[in-house]
Amino acid sequence: METNGVPLTPEQARAALADTERVRASATALTATPWPTWFFVTLTLYVAVLPIVLGGVMTDGDWLLPRPAWMATLLTITALYAALLSVATKAWRDRTGVALRLDVLPKRATLPLMIGLPLLLVGGPYAFGATGRPAWLIATSLLGAAVSVGFHLTFVRLHRRTA
């Protein structure tokens, strides 16, 4: 390595590499920072409401509301969630200069969530459709919200440890 045409000593080269690693670790920690609190609440509410709405969409007959009303609700909350996700992502990028990323988190934390949460959110409505018991929807809703809160707290803890 050279600085202004002058070769670096081994100590200077090691110091430069250590600085590079420190900057890389800092950038990784910054991109893994938790979602803004308002978006975490939005996400948790979406996860809690989704099984109930899916249960209404998937029933054979009308349950509490006509099926078209459930479908309109599903489309509305999904569009609202997508819009708020876009706002949260843009606000974070504008504030920090980096995008929020899940790929910097340990796979042991994200992989179970990315596989298990969709199965949970769809499994409850299927069980409701098969049994007609709304308890499946309530249980799935509460469990989904608990998973969302747990993942957020894990996310915060991982960030604090790397920051």
Side-chain angles (χ1 to χ4, degrees):
M1 295 177 80
E2 293 185 5
T3 304
N4 297 332
V6 178
L8 294 177
T9 66
E11 292 79 25
Q12 290 172 323
R14 279 192 281 281
L17 288 174
D19 278 347
T20 302
E21 285 305 313
R22 187 182 49 75
V23 168
R24 184 177 294 135
S26 176
T28 297
L30 184 59
T31 61
T33 300
W35 291 109
T37 302
W38 68 265
F39 185 73
F40 153 67
V41 171
T42 300
L43 176 60
T44 301
L45 289 174
Y46 180 72
V47 166
V49 169
L50 190 60
I52 296 167
V53 174
L54 285 175
V57 168
M58 295 171 58
T59 59
D60 289 333
D62 291 344
W63 173 70
L64 300 177
L65 295 172
R67 184 176 289 178
W70 284 116
M71 187 57 82
T73 302
L74 177 63
L75 294 174
T76 301
I77 65 170
T78 302
L80 181 61
Y81 170 75
L84 291 174
L85 172 64
S86 176
V87 168
T89 302
K90 183 180 179 334
W92 182 258
R93 194 173 335 149
D94 290 348
R95 195 170 93 216
T96 64
V98 294
L100 285 166
R101 296 174 40 198
L102 290 176
D103 64 326
V104 296
L105 293 173
K107 297 293 182 249
R108 71 180 189 282
T110 55
L111 195 58
L113 180 77
M114 290 183 182
I115 293 170
L117 191 59
L119 290 174
L120 173 70
L121 295 179
V122 173
Y126 270 111
F128 169 67
T131 65
R133 298 181 61 158
W136 286 106
L137 300 177
I138 294 165
T140 302
S141 177
L142 293 174
L143 193 54
V147 167
S148 177
V149 170
F151 188 73
H152 178 74
L153 294 175
T154 300
F155 204 16
V156 169
R157 190 181 81 243
L158 287 170
H159 172 69
R160 284 185 184 146
R161 215 174 17 205
T162 59

